[in-house]
Amino acid sequence: MDAQPEADPSTSADPPAARGAGRRHRLDDWRPEDPTFWRTTGAPIARRNLWVSIFAEHVGFSVWSLWSVTVLFLGPAYGIDPAGKFLLTAVPAALGAVLRLPYTLAVARFGGRNWTIVSALLLLVPAVPMTVLLEPGVSYTTLMVLACLTGVGGGNFASSMANINLFFPDRLKGRALGLNAGGGNLGVPAVQLVGLAVLATAGAAYPRLVPAVYLPLIVLAALAAARWLDNIPDAHNEPGALREAARDRHTWVMSLLYVGTFGSFIGFGFAFGQVLQLQFAERFPTPVDAAWLTFLGPLIGSLIRPVGGQLADRLGGARVTFWNFVAMAVGASLVLFAARERSFPLYLTGFLSLFVFSGIGNGSTYKMIPAIFRARATAEAELTGDPAAAQRRARRLSGALIGIAGAVGASGGVLVNVAFRQSFLTSGNADAAYLAFIGWYALCFVVTWTVYLRPGPGRLTGV
């Protein structure tokens, strides 16, 4: 959002007007960079919007991840082979990736509050029919349609981040966006814990109970958004910034890296339970056995995400991202070795390390994006003599890159599940998929070194 004109200090905070705006859910006067306004009026409003946004995004992530646990209920009565189950977890990731960019633009077009209400209610589109139709005898085509529809929950992350970005001053955006992203990511292990509870109590015959649990939560998220969120009418989309960012090579470099981090997180989160059952069938004969561990990886990956940002602040985003991809390649190699040696302790250690490092990488890659454009703005300001204009351009391109990279990165969830599907189809095991992951992580750390760390005159300082 462009900065507002400088206000007279005597009128920089107007509590009565702010309260009136709050009642109308429309913030006509919003100046988070003004210290007096922020202290007296802005901070409480921003925090209220943040906590409601986290809850709504968390529910969205849970709905997006429904099929990561639903496939554990699909026993022999459903007649679906492992390849078919991996396809059921790939299609939600695909639709979620496609929706991320339009959901980002929808915040400025319709208002953050208004779009959060709509996007929350859209979660009923997959949840209600899943509650009604999930039972033996349902056709695979119907299951594919239901799985695809849960992808609407994947778009909620993008609109939620775009909305919260408007509420906080630059110095506080990192922490606010980190809390928002982490709270949303926790929706993945949360829905898997719900699935575990259903499996442990009602049994595998009642998959419809998992989406049923979320029906009141979806309605509650929409009501909370209607009651406590606000619109900032000054927000606007900048198609010029999106076009300019799409022509910038750093957009596609960072998108590739984000496929490796967030794509791995969401892809492994969707596939982990199935892989455990297939790779170690003797240890996990029933879905409830696998469900005890399914939630653990996404939980660790979600909780550790802020650590990646903190390490990037201290050591540099590119350096953390480089070594993180090295660690992910080692983790995938350990998983491959353990699978071939049939060593479950090593296998679990390797897989959990992939969740840990995908979480750290999510934080460090996000930190790299504004750092790239800050470095370029500094160089641009030296040439033009206008640092303010250079910083404004950096912020515009940074926001556009985040939107594009978020959409592209989510497609990694599709690639992970397709890789597992093809590997099991062709060889009956996941070895080929693990080799593909090792190759991708190697590509990512080579690209990170070449573009951002290699000494030379073109290296960006501070990334």
Side-chain angles (χ1 to χ4, degrees), residues 231-302:
N231 293 316
I232 298 179
D234 283 349
H236 57 276
N237 291 317
E238 299 190 68
L242 284 171
R243 286 194 295 270
E244 189 175 351
R247 292 194 294 267
D248 194 306
R249 71 178 183 125
H250 290 287
T251 297
W252 303 108
V253 171
M254 292 308 302
S255 295
L256 180 146
L257 301 183
Y258 203 53
V259 167
T261 56
F262 181 77
S264 294
F265 170 79
I266 199 66
F268 293 147
F270 283 9
F272 190 34
Q274 294 183 77
V275 174
L276 284 176
Q277 280 198 292
L278 291 170
Q279 202 82 62
F280 295 92
E282 71 286 351
R283 185 178 284 266
F284 301 102
T286 67
V288 71
D289 294 315
W292 279 107
L293 286 175
T294 298
F295 76 95
L296 190 57
L299 177 63
I300 294 172
S302 299

Side-chain angles (χ1 to χ4, degrees), residues 35-288:
T36 304
F37 177 88
W38 178 255
R39 185 179 65 255
T40 59
T41 304
I45 295 173
R47 284 195 295 267
R48 184 186 71 234
N49 278 266
L50 173 62
W51 295 122
V52 175
S53 176
I54 288 173
F55 173 64
E57 185 196 340
H58 177 93
V59 174
F61 250 94
S62 292
V63 171
W64 191 22
S65 308
L66 272 170
W67 284 86
S68 69
V69 67
T70 301
V71 291
L72 299 180
F73 289 82
L74 305 183
Y78 289 84
I80 304 172
D81 64 8
K85 291 182 182 180
F86 279 118
L87 205 55
L88 288 172
T89 52
V91 290
L95 183 60
V98 169
L99 290 179
R100 281 192 160 199
L101 197 54
Y103 267 55
T104 299
L105 302 176
V107 169
R109 176 66 180 85
F110 301 106
R113 168 184 176 268
N114 299 344
W115 185 250
T116 303
I117 296 169
V118 171
S119 62
L121 291 175
L122 283 173
L123 300 175
L124 294 171
V125 173
V128 170
M130 283 180 69
T131 303
V132 174
L133 298 175
L134 280 180
E135 61 181 11
V138 64
S139 71
Y140 185 72
T141 301
T142 300
L143 294 178
M144 281 287 288
V145 171
L146 294 177
C148 185
L149 288 175
T150 59
V152 296
N156 286 22
F157 174 85
S159 57
S160 180
M161 295 290 276
N163 186 41
I164 290 304
N165 186 60
L166 300 172
F167 280 90
F168 286 82
D170 284 344
R171 70 183 189 280
L172 299 177
K173 284 184 191 292
R175 181 173 182 272
L177 292 174
L179 287 170
N180 199 52
N185 287 356
L186 284 170
V188 182
V191 73
Q192 292 167 350
L193 282 170
V194 170
L196 172 61
V198 171
L199 284 167
T201 54
Y206 299 97
R208 63 178 63 187
L209 293 180
V210 181
V213 167
Y214 279 90
L215 296 180
L217 295 177
I218 292 168
V219 174
L220 182 59
L223 291 175
R227 174 65 181 83
W228 287 298
L229 290 189
D230 301 293
N231 293 316
I232 298 179
D234 283 349
H236 57 276
N237 291 317
E238 299 190 68
L242 284 171
R243 286 194 295 270
E244 189 175 351
R247 292 194 294 267
D248 194 306
R249 71 178 183 125
H250 290 287
T251 297
W252 303 108
V253 171
M254 292 308 302
S255 295
L256 180 146
L257 301 183
Y258 203 53
V259 167
T261 56
F262 181 77
S264 294
F265 170 79
I266 199 66
F268 293 147
F270 283 9
F272 190 34
Q274 294 183 77
V275 174
L276 284 176
Q277 280 198 292
L278 291 170
Q279 202 82 62
F280 295 92
E282 71 286 351
R283 185 178 284 266
F284 301 102
T286 67
V288 71

